[in-house]
């Protein structure tokens, strides 16, 4: 997915690198379709170190909840990213919000078709 010039850039970069990392087997297949040999592609799933990244990590104790629950999603604001699923799921979580990093500039959100669809 993405802009047409992205595929050309990924093809050039992928062929020039000794190793390409993909976050899923689907992404690894897409890199193969760009001509990057499978032997040079490794799948490294996205993940979080829950031992390190949790509210009590710095203090050793469970802090009182003062802020609303927040789901942070990073990526282009396009239908294939599944932000609509996050919106539906968070509708069931009291006092929660979705923060998307990677959409249009703040001044252009109202004009962006995907932002309008998700907001509706």
């Amino acid at each position: 997915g993405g802009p047409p010039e992205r595929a050309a850039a990924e093809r050039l970069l992928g062929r020039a690198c000794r190793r390409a990392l993909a976050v899923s087997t689907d992404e690894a297949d897409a890199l193969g379709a760009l001509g990057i040999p499978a032997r040079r592609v490794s799948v490294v799933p996205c993940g979080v170190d829950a031992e390190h990244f949790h509210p009590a990590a710095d203090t050793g104790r469970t802090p009182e909840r003062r802020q609303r629950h927040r789901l942070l999603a990073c990526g282009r604001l396009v239908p294939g990213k599944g932000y609509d699923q996050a919106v539906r799921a968070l509708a069931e979580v009291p006092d929660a919000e979705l923060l998307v990093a990677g959409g249009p500039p703040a001044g252009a959100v109202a004009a962006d078709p995907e932002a309008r669809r998700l907001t509706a």
Side-chain angles (χ1 to χ4, degrees):
E5 60 273 7
R6 178 177 165 176
E10 286 179 347
R11 183 177 293 110
L12 288 172
L13 288 170
R15 290 179 178 172
C17 294
R18 283 191 275 181
R19 172 77 44 205
L21 301 180
V23 298
S24 67
T25 54
D26 287 345
E27 188 173 83
D29 292 344
L31 291 172
L34 290 173
I36 301 165
R39 69 181 182 283
R40 292 190 5 231
V41 177
S42 295
V43 176
V44 180
C46 295
V48 173
D49 180 351
E51 296 277 328
H52 180 74
F53 293 103
H54 63 86
D58 293 330
T59 63
R61 63 179 176 81
T62 304
E64 291 182 33
R65 186 115 189 87
R66 294 190 185 102
Q67 296 180 334
R68 65 193 315 189
H69 296 280
R70 176 178 290 156
L71 174 61
L72 171 63
C74 301
R76 292 176 298 121
L77 192 60
V78 295
K81 295 292 183 183
Y83 298 128
D84 54 338
Q85 294 173 2
V87 169
R88 283 193 292 278
L90 287 181
E92 304 297 322
V93 179
D95 197 29
E97 66 183 353
L98 172 64
L99 176 63
V100 178
V109 171
D112 184 84
E114 182 64 0
R116 286 198 317 264
R117 183 180 79 87
L118 293 171
T119 301

PDB file of all heavy atoms in Angstrom, residues 18-24 27-28 31 37-45:
ATOM      1  N   ARG A  18      21.459  -5.574   3.142  1.00  0.00           N
ATOM      2  CA  ARG A  18      21.793  -6.982   3.379  1.00  0.00           C
ATOM      3  C   ARG A  18      20.642  -7.711   4.056  1.00  0.00           C
ATOM      4  O   ARG A  18      20.473  -8.907   3.891  1.00  0.00           O
ATOM      5  CB  ARG A  18      23.038  -7.102   4.241  1.00  0.00           C
ATOM      6  CG  ARG A  18      24.305  -6.847   3.450  1.00  0.00           C
ATOM      7  CD  ARG A  18      25.498  -7.230   4.255  1.00  0.00           C
ATOM      8  NE  ARG A  18      25.853  -6.086   5.103  1.00  0.00           N
ATOM      9  CZ  ARG A  18      26.855  -6.060   5.931  1.00  0.00           C
ATOM     10  NH1 ARG A  18      27.607  -7.114   6.095  1.00  0.00           N
ATOM     11  NH2 ARG A  18      27.121  -5.000   6.634  1.00  0.00           N
ATOM     12  N   ARG A  19      19.843  -7.003   4.847  1.00  0.00           N
ATOM     13  CA  ARG A  19      18.741  -7.618   5.590  1.00  0.00           C
ATOM     14  C   ARG A  19      17.576  -6.634   5.619  1.00  0.00           C
ATOM     15  O   ARG A  19      17.766  -5.448   5.855  1.00  0.00           O
ATOM     16  CB  ARG A  19      19.189  -7.936   7.010  1.00  0.00           C
ATOM     17  CG  ARG A  19      18.157  -8.406   7.968  1.00  0.00           C
ATOM     18  CD  ARG A  19      17.713  -9.845   7.837  1.00  0.00           C
ATOM     19  NE  ARG A  19      18.785 -10.797   7.639  1.00  0.00           N
ATOM     20  CZ  ARG A  19      18.587 -11.971   7.025  1.00  0.00           C
ATOM     21  NH1 ARG A  19      17.408 -12.310   6.571  1.00  0.00           N
ATOM     22  NH2 ARG A  19      19.574 -12.812   6.870  1.00  0.00           N
ATOM     23  N   ALA A  20      16.380  -7.139   5.358  1.00  0.00           N
ATOM     24  CA  ALA A  20      15.152  -6.341   5.448  1.00  0.00           C
ATOM     25  C   ALA A  20      14.278  -6.952   6.534  1.00  0.00           C
ATOM     26  O   ALA A  20      14.165  -8.175   6.633  1.00  0.00           O
ATOM     27  CB  ALA A  20      14.406  -6.349   4.115  1.00  0.00           C
ATOM     28  N   LEU A  21      13.700  -6.108   7.371  1.00  0.00           N
ATOM     29  CA  LEU A  21      12.836  -6.574   8.441  1.00  0.00           C
ATOM     30  C   LEU A  21      11.383  -6.288   8.084  1.00  0.00           C
ATOM     31  O   LEU A  21      11.061  -5.198   7.621  1.00  0.00           O
ATOM     32  CB  LEU A  21      13.181  -5.890   9.762  1.00  0.00           C
ATOM     33  CG  LEU A  21      14.604  -6.087  10.266  1.00  0.00           C
ATOM     34  CD1 LEU A  21      14.805  -5.347  11.586  1.00  0.00           C
ATOM     35  CD2 LEU A  21      14.939  -7.553  10.417  1.00  0.00           C
ATOM     36  N   ALA A  22      10.534  -7.275   8.332  1.00  0.00           N
ATOM     37  CA  ALA A  22       9.096  -7.136   8.104  1.00  0.00           C
ATOM     38  C   ALA A  22       8.390  -7.412   9.425  1.00  0.00           C
ATOM     39  O   ALA A  22       8.866  -8.215  10.230  1.00  0.00           O
ATOM     40  CB  ALA A  22       8.639  -8.128   7.034  1.00  0.00           C
ATOM     41  N   VAL A  23       7.235  -6.764   9.653  1.00  0.00           N
ATOM     42  CA  VAL A  23       6.512  -6.973  10.907  1.00  0.00           C
ATOM     43  C   VAL A  23       5.536  -8.143  10.823  1.00  0.00           C
ATOM     44  O   VAL A  23       4.961  -8.539  11.828  1.00  0.00           O
ATOM     45  CB  VAL A  23       5.778  -5.699  11.379  1.00  0.00           C
ATOM     46  CG1 VAL A  23       6.773  -4.582  11.646  1.00  0.00           C
ATOM     47  CG2 VAL A  23       4.723  -5.273  10.387  1.00  0.00           C
ATOM     48  N   SER A  24       5.345  -8.698   9.626  1.00  0.00           N
ATOM     49  CA  SER A  24       4.431  -9.830   9.468  1.00  0.00           C
ATOM     50  C   SER A  24       4.831 -10.638   8.238  1.00  0.00           C
ATOM     51  O   SER A  24       5.607 -10.170   7.394  1.00  0.00           O
ATOM     52  CB  SER A  24       2.993  -9.324   9.288  1.00  0.00           C
ATOM     53  OG  SER A  24       2.871  -8.639   8.047  1.00  0.00           O
ATOM     54  N   GLU A  27       3.777  -8.812   5.140  1.00  0.00           N
ATOM     55  CA  GLU A  27       4.726  -7.776   4.735  1.00  0.00           C
ATOM     56  C   GLU A  27       5.962  -8.405   4.099  1.00  0.00           C
ATOM     57  O   GLU A  27       6.510  -7.878   3.133  1.00  0.00           O
ATOM     58  CB  GLU A  27       5.110  -6.909   5.926  1.00  0.00           C
ATOM     59  CG  GLU A  27       5.938  -5.706   5.527  1.00  0.00           C
ATOM     60  CD  GLU A  27       6.171  -4.772   6.699  1.00  0.00           C
ATOM     61  OE1 GLU A  27       7.098  -5.042   7.489  1.00  0.00           O
ATOM     62  OE2 GLU A  27       5.432  -3.782   6.809  1.00  0.00           O
ATOM     63  N   ALA A  28       6.408  -9.539   4.626  1.00  0.00           N
ATOM     64  CA  ALA A  28       7.551 -10.245   4.034  1.00  0.00           C
ATOM     65  C   ALA A  28       7.222 -10.673   2.602  1.00  0.00           C
ATOM     66  O   ALA A  28       8.060 -10.550   1.700  1.00  0.00           O
ATOM     67  CB  ALA A  28       7.928 -11.454   4.882  1.00  0.00           C
ATOM     68  N   LEU A  31       7.456  -7.697   0.367  1.00  0.00           N
ATOM     69  CA  LEU A  31       8.847  -7.381   0.046  1.00  0.00           C
ATOM     70  C   LEU A  31       9.362  -8.332  -1.031  1.00  0.00           C
ATOM     71  O   LEU A  31      10.102  -7.917  -1.930  1.00  0.00           O
ATOM     72  CB  LEU A  31       9.723  -7.458   1.302  1.00  0.00           C
ATOM     73  CG  LEU A  31       9.465  -6.375   2.348  1.00  0.00           C
ATOM     74  CD1 LEU A  31      10.257  -6.669   3.623  1.00  0.00           C
ATOM     75  CD2 LEU A  31       9.788  -4.999   1.812  1.00  0.00           C
ATOM     76  N   PRO A  37      14.977 -10.808  -2.179  1.00  0.00           N
ATOM     77  CA  PRO A  37      15.066 -12.250  -1.951  1.00  0.00           C
ATOM     78  C   PRO A  37      14.626 -12.639  -0.536  1.00  0.00           C
ATOM     79  O   PRO A  37      15.009 -11.996   0.439  1.00  0.00           O
ATOM     80  CB  PRO A  37      16.547 -12.568  -2.157  1.00  0.00           C
ATOM     81  CG  PRO A  37      17.087 -11.430  -2.957  1.00  0.00           C
ATOM     82  CD  PRO A  37      16.278 -10.230  -2.563  1.00  0.00           C
ATOM     83  N   ALA A  38      13.852 -13.712  -0.416  1.00  0.00           N
ATOM     84  CA  ALA A  38      13.330 -14.173   0.875  1.00  0.00           C
ATOM     85  C   ALA A  38      14.449 -14.469   1.865  1.00  0.00           C
ATOM     86  O   ALA A  38      14.277 -14.268   3.070  1.00  0.00           O
ATOM     87  CB  ALA A  38      12.454 -15.404   0.674  1.00  0.00           C
ATOM     88  N   ARG A  39      15.593 -14.898   1.393  1.00  0.00           N
ATOM     89  CA  ARG A  39      16.709 -15.218   2.302  1.00  0.00           C
ATOM     90  C   ARG A  39      17.237 -13.978   3.022  1.00  0.00           C
ATOM     91  O   ARG A  39      17.947 -14.092   4.016  1.00  0.00           O
ATOM     92  CB  ARG A  39      17.828 -15.926   1.549  1.00  0.00           C
ATOM     93  CG  ARG A  39      18.555 -15.050   0.558  1.00  0.00           C
ATOM     94  CD  ARG A  39      19.655 -15.791  -0.209  1.00  0.00           C
ATOM     95  NE  ARG A  39      20.350 -14.910  -1.098  1.00  0.00           N
ATOM     96  CZ  ARG A  39      19.891 -14.483  -2.274  1.00  0.00           C
ATOM     97  NH1 ARG A  39      18.713 -14.898  -2.705  1.00  0.00           N
ATOM     98  NH2 ARG A  39      20.599 -13.650  -3.023  1.00  0.00           N
ATOM     99  N   ARG A  40      16.905 -12.796   2.507  1.00  0.00           N
ATOM    100  CA  ARG A  40      17.369 -11.554   3.129  1.00  0.00           C
ATOM    101  C   ARG A  40      16.273 -10.853   3.925  1.00  0.00           C
ATOM    102  O   ARG A  40      16.456  -9.730   4.392  1.00  0.00           O
ATOM    103  CB  ARG A  40      17.921 -10.621   2.055  1.00  0.00           C
ATOM    104  CG  ARG A  40      19.195 -11.190   1.454  1.00  0.00           C
ATOM    105  CD  ARG A  40      19.958 -10.258   0.544  1.00  0.00           C
ATOM    106  NE  ARG A  40      19.481  -8.917   0.424  1.00  0.00           N
ATOM    107  CZ  ARG A  40      19.246  -8.299  -0.753  1.00  0.00           C
ATOM    108  NH1 ARG A  40      19.441  -8.938  -1.884  1.00  0.00           N
ATOM    109  NH2 ARG A  40      18.826  -7.061  -0.785  1.00  0.00           N
ATOM    110  N   VAL A  41      15.111 -11.513   4.101  1.00  0.00           N
ATOM    111  CA  VAL A  41      13.986 -10.919   4.829  1.00  0.00           C
ATOM    112  C   VAL A  41      13.751 -11.695   6.118  1.00  0.00           C
ATOM    113  O   VAL A  41      13.667 -12.918   6.108  1.00  0.00           O
ATOM    114  CB  VAL A  41      12.702 -10.927   3.972  1.00  0.00           C
ATOM    115  CG1 VAL A  41      11.517 -10.381   4.761  1.00  0.00           C
ATOM    116  CG2 VAL A  41      12.899 -10.121   2.690  1.00  0.00           C
ATOM    117  N   SER A  42      13.670 -10.980   7.229  1.00  0.00           N
ATOM    118  CA  SER A  42      13.351 -11.581   8.525  1.00  0.00           C
ATOM    119  C   SER A  42      12.068 -10.952   9.052  1.00  0.00           C
ATOM    120  O   SER A  42      11.856  -9.748   8.913  1.00  0.00           O
ATOM    121  CB  SER A  42      14.460 -11.321   9.546  1.00  0.00           C
ATOM    122  OG  SER A  42      15.645 -11.957   9.154  1.00  0.00           O
ATOM    123  N   VAL A  43      11.223 -11.784   9.650  1.00  0.00           N
ATOM    124  CA  VAL A  43       9.993 -11.277  10.272  1.00  0.00           C
ATOM    125  C   VAL A  43      10.263 -11.024  11.750  1.00  0.00           C
ATOM    126  O   VAL A  43      10.682 -11.923  12.472  1.00  0.00           O
ATOM    127  CB  VAL A  43       8.824 -12.269  10.096  1.00  0.00           C
ATOM    128  CG1 VAL A  43       7.584 -11.776  10.816  1.00  0.00           C
ATOM    129  CG2 VAL A  43       8.536 -12.476   8.615  1.00  0.00           C
ATOM    130  N   VAL A  44      10.047  -9.779  12.170  1.00  0.00           N
ATOM    131  CA  VAL A  44      10.195  -9.372  13.565  1.00  0.00           C
ATOM    132  C   VAL A  44       8.889  -8.698  13.960  1.00  0.00           C
ATOM    133  O   VAL A  44       8.670  -7.526  13.636  1.00  0.00           O
ATOM    134  CB  VAL A  44      11.392  -8.404  13.758  1.00  0.00           C
ATOM    135  CG1 VAL A  44      11.520  -7.999  15.218  1.00  0.00           C
ATOM    136  CG2 VAL A  44      12.680  -9.024  13.238  1.00  0.00           C
ATOM    137  N   PRO A  45       7.988  -9.430  14.618  1.00  0.00           N
ATOM    138  CA  PRO A  45       6.679  -8.861  14.957  1.00  0.00           C
ATOM    139  C   PRO A  45       6.805  -7.648  15.867  1.00  0.00           C
ATOM    140  O   PRO A  45       7.740  -7.549  16.674  1.00  0.00           O
ATOM    141  CB  PRO A  45       5.963  -9.998  15.682  1.00  0.00           C
ATOM    142  CG  PRO A  45       6.724 -11.230  15.343  1.00  0.00           C
ATOM    143  CD  PRO A  45       8.131 -10.802  15.074  1.00  0.00           C
TER     144      PRO A  45
END
